[in-house]
């Protein structure tokens, strides 16, 4: 019965200790960021604006519509003439201009929408990648803190044992001092790591759109966020980097803008107009007369045909911009291949480094075991044990840091290839 109540007490204590905390998996963190990140929300609003413009392309065929109304009185009112009539009028007008630039204007709006979609996709991918990297970086910090706490606790126990042994006359006072030194010298490192962890955690919460004061707990496996073997032999041969997609769309916009301006400058614009203006010379008269009209006209901007005029220079500038973008597209096409190949080589080297570090950690673990045995037999002192323990701590942390670098390279490779994150084994 006592064991039952003890278990119940422990359960209630643990439940109360985690109440008010938000447990986040990686998927939860990404979902929160996509919903709450303020910068990404701005990109979503811009996308909605561009989408609205694309859906309403037809409105360029809507005429300009105006309406007016007014009343007046002849100047006789200032001569105290009570018989001076009040007059009034109402008016309405429609005006529609049709030019040869309309197809290119519609094309430009569509290209701007597609460019906006690329920006949106890039912003989303960058946010997802940043959240994933920050999530696992925090888990590594938590493991670092855990290892430091374990080392500090072990050194504290060795110090306490050294004090007991010294009082019993089994060890000299120097052993007590060395044990205290090994214990104390780890405390500044612990304070530094925990402070940096809290700073990065606050930044992480802000990126997710959360309150910095909200208490969260990350749920993830820091040991297995990168698989041991990654197959890099089945990468797509035909790919388009986000930078290349954006440049090609910018080129399409520049070409549409150039054609739009050329069409408006080199060809006439047809304008239809219609207006009606019912007018009453005397508001008492129920029979108004209409002075409205219908007209059609052709307007040709001949000044743009003059060499070195402002319009002509603008057309040439747009052509130069398009030529520059074509060169940038060609350069990015060549660079993207080199970038992907370098990332593949980098990941392969990093994987090899991870295996080497894992062997180093095994050696450090065995070294710590032998040093502890030697310490018990009086062959090694407490500083040797502390150093061996620190070496193991650093070796274990080096593995996690190198795996994190593999993850960075892997996510960048998936980003460049326009592959969903995790396709190559990034999670």
């Amino acid at each position: 019965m006592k064991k039952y109540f003890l278990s119940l007490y422990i359960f209630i204590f643990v439940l109360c200790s985690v109440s008010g905390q938000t447990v986040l998996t990686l998927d939860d963190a990404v979902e929160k960021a996509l919903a709450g990140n303020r910068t990404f929300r701005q990109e979503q609003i811009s996308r909605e604006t561009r989408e609205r413009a694309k859906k309403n392309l037809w409105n360029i065929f809507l005429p300009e519509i105006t309406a007016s109304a007014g009343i007046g009185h002849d100047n006789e009112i200032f001569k105290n003439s009570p018989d001076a009539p009040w007059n009034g009028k109402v008016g309405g007008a429609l005006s529609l201009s049709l030019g040869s630039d309309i197809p290119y204007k519609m094309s430009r709006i569509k290209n701007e929408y597609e460019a906006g979609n690329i920006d949106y996709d890039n912003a989303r991918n960058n946010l997802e990648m940043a959240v994933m990297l920050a999530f696992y970086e925090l888990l590594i910090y938590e493991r670092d803190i855990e290892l430091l706490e374990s080392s500090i606790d072990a050194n504290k126990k060795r110090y306490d044992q050294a004090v007991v042994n010294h009082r019993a006359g089994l060890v000299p006072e120097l052993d007590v001092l060395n044990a205290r030194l090994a214990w104390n010298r780890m405390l500044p490192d612990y304070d530094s790591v925990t402070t940096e962890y809290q700073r990065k955690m606050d930044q992480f919460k802000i990126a997710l759109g959360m309150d910095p004061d909200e208490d969260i707990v990350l749920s993830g496996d820091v040991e297995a966020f990168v698989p041991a073997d990654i197959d890099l032999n089945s990468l797509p041969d035909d790919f388009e980097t986000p930078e290349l997609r954006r440049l090609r769309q910018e080129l399409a916009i520049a070409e549409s803008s150039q054609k739009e301006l050329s069409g408006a400058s080199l060809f006439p614009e047809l304008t239809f107009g219609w207006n009606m203006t019912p007018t009453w010379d005397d508001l008492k008269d129920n029979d108004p007369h209409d002075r409205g009209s219908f007209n059609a006209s052709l307007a040709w901007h001949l000044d743009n045909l003059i060499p070195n005029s402002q319009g002509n220079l603008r057309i040439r500038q747009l052509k130069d911009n398009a030529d520059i973008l074509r060169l940038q597209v060609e350069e990015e096409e060549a660079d993207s291949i080199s970038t992907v190949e370098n990332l593949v080589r980098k990941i392969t080297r990093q994987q090899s480094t991870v295996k080497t570090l894992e062997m180093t950690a095994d050696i450090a673990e065995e070294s710590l075991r032998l040093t502890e045995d030697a310490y018990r037999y009086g062959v090694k002192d407490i500083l040797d044990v502390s150093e061996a323990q620190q070496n193991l701590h650093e070796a274990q942390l080096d593995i996690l840091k190198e795996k994190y670098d593999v993850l960075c390279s892997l996510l960048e490779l998936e980003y460049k290839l326009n592959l969903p994150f995790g396709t190559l084994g990034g999670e």
Side-chain angles (χ1 to χ4, degrees):
M1 182 65 68
K2 290 183 178 179
K3 290 183 179 179
Y4 170 79
F5 282 113
L6 179 60
S7 300
L8 181 60
Y9 172 79
I10 293 175
F11 173 77
I12 295 174
F13 174 80
V14 172
L15 183 63
C16 293
S17 65
V18 299
S19 62
Q21 292 181 331
T22 302
V23 179
L24 288 181
T25 63
L26 177 60
D27 291 338
D28 294 334
V30 171
E31 184 178 349
K32 271 188 171 294
L34 293 176
N37 185 270
R38 296 172 181 83
T39 302
F40 183 64
R41 180 56 185 154
Q42 295 175 28
E43 189 62 42
Q44 287 178 315
I45 295 174
S46 298
R47 184 194 189 197
E48 291 168 0
T49 301
R50 291 186 293 264
E51 185 175 13
R52 188 164 54 247
K54 177 179 177 292
K55 287 182 177 179
N56 295 281
L57 276 175
W58 54 269
N59 62 15
I60 62 177
F61 295 105
L62 287 179
E64 181 181 351
I65 305 174
T66 60
S68 62
I71 61 174
H73 200 292
D74 293 338
N75 288 336
E76 281 79 1
I77 191 173
F78 297 108
K79 300 177 181 179
N80 297 321
S81 175
D83 297 328
W86 285 88
N87 56 68
K89 65 179 179 178
V90 295
L94 300 177
S95 177
L96 176 63
S97 296
L98 300 175
S100 57
D101 61 329
I102 287 180
Y104 305 116
K105 182 180 294 184
M106 298 176 68
S107 176
R108 174 180 55 79
I109 294 175
K110 291 179 181 179
N111 289 330
E112 288 176 348
Y113 170 74
E114 294 300 330
N117 281 346
I118 294 173
D119 291 339
Y120 174 83
D121 292 340
N122 291 346
R124 180 189 177 99
N125 290 336
N126 281 319
L127 179 59
E128 287 188 25
M129 185 162 54
V131 170
M132 294 171 69
L133 293 177
F135 184 89
Y136 284 116
E137 184 182 25
L138 287 170
L139 287 183
I140 292 174
Y141 267 96
E142 290 178 357
R143 176 53 59 87
D144 191 9
I145 293 172
E146 179 185 332
L147 293 173
L148 281 170
E149 289 175 343
S150 177
S151 297
I152 291 173
D153 183 61
N155 284 338
K156 175 64 168 55
K157 290 178 179 178
R158 294 190 189 103
Y159 167 73
D160 293 338
Q161 186 62 46
V163 171
V164 172
N165 292 341
H166 174 64
R167 290 173 180 172
L170 299 177
V171 297
E173 184 180 2
L174 180 61
D175 281 12
V176 178
L177 295 176
N178 286 339
R180 183 60 183 266
L181 176 63
W183 172 32
N184 285 353
R185 70 181 181 180
M186 301 193 72
L187 298 179
D189 291 340
Y190 178 80
D191 292 339
S192 176
V193 172
T194 53
T195 300
E196 183 65 13
Y197 168 77
Q198 191 57 55
R199 185 184 70 83
K200 289 185 176 292
M201 176 62 78
D202 291 342
Q203 293 178 339
F204 182 67
K205 293 175 186 177
I206 293 174
L208 267 57
M210 301 176 65
D211 188 338
D213 294 330
E214 186 172 349
D215 192 11
I216 66 173
V217 176
L218 303 183
S219 175
D221 188 357
V222 73
E223 299 289 349
F225 64 90
V226 174
D229 296 315
I230 303 172
D231 184 15
L232 299 176
N233 297 319
S234 57
L235 300 180
D237 295 327
D238 186 19
F239 61 89
E240 188 179 42
T241 65
E243 295 82 7
L244 183 57
R245 289 177 61 207
R246 190 63 176 85
L247 283 173
R248 285 175 173 168
Q249 204 59 45
E250 287 181 8
L251 175 59
I253 293 174
E255 291 175 339
S256 296
S257 298
Q258 177 191 347
K259 293 176 180 177
E260 179 184 351
L261 186 58
S262 298
S265 302
L266 303 179
F267 298 95
E269 179 181 70
L270 176 61
T271 301
F272 297 97
W274 174 82
N275 66 81
M276 57 178 295
T277 312
T279 303
W280 290 264
D281 293 331
D282 188 342
L283 290 179
K284 297 179 181 180
D285 185 3
N286 293 326
D287 188 17
H289 54 272
D290 186 9
R291 298 172 181 172
S293 65
F294 171 82
N295 61 79
S297 63
L298 281 175
W300 201 342
H301 300 280
L302 297 177
D303 56 304
N304 292 331
L305 301 177
I306 301 174
N308 300 324
S309 65
Q310 290 186 356
N312 186 268
L313 290 177
R314 176 61 179 160
I315 294 173
R316 291 162 62 183
Q317 180 183 351
L318 290 176
K319 181 179 181 304
D320 291 342
N321 293 341
D323 291 339
I324 292 174
L325 285 170
R326 288 189 189 93
L327 294 174
Q328 291 178 348
V329 167
E330 294 176 4
E331 184 177 10
E332 179 60 29
E333 287 174 343
D335 288 345
S336 61
I337 297 175
S338 175
T339 299
V340 169
E341 291 176 349
N342 286 332
L343 282 171
V344 171
R345 287 192 291 266
K346 184 178 180 180
I347 294 172
T348 302
R349 175 183 58 77
Q350 289 171 331
Q351 287 180 290
S352 177
T353 302
V354 168
K355 294 179 180 179
T356 301
L357 291 175
E358 288 174 340
M359 291 188 292
T360 302
D362 292 338
I363 295 173
E365 186 175 7
E366 180 67 14
S367 175
L368 174 60
R369 186 185 67 80
L370 295 175
T371 303
E372 288 177 332
D373 290 343
Y375 171 70
R376 283 192 290 268
Y377 288 108
V379 179
K380 296 286 186 179
D381 60 30
I382 194 67
L383 290 180
D384 294 325
V385 177
S386 177
E387 182 179 356
Q389 187 177 47
Q390 183 65 20
N391 289 338
L392 177 58
H393 174 195
E394 292 177 355
Q396 292 172 332
L397 200 60
D398 286 342
I399 294 174
L400 294 180
K401 289 180 178 178
E402 191 64 28
K403 284 184 176 180
Y404 181 80
D405 290 340
V406 174
L407 177 64
C408 293
S409 301
L410 201 57
L411 292 179
E412 184 179 358
L413 179 59
E414 291 172 335
Y415 177 77
K416 294 294 184 182
L417 296 175
N418 277 314
L419 297 175
F421 292 129
T423 301
L424 302 177
E427 295 186 37

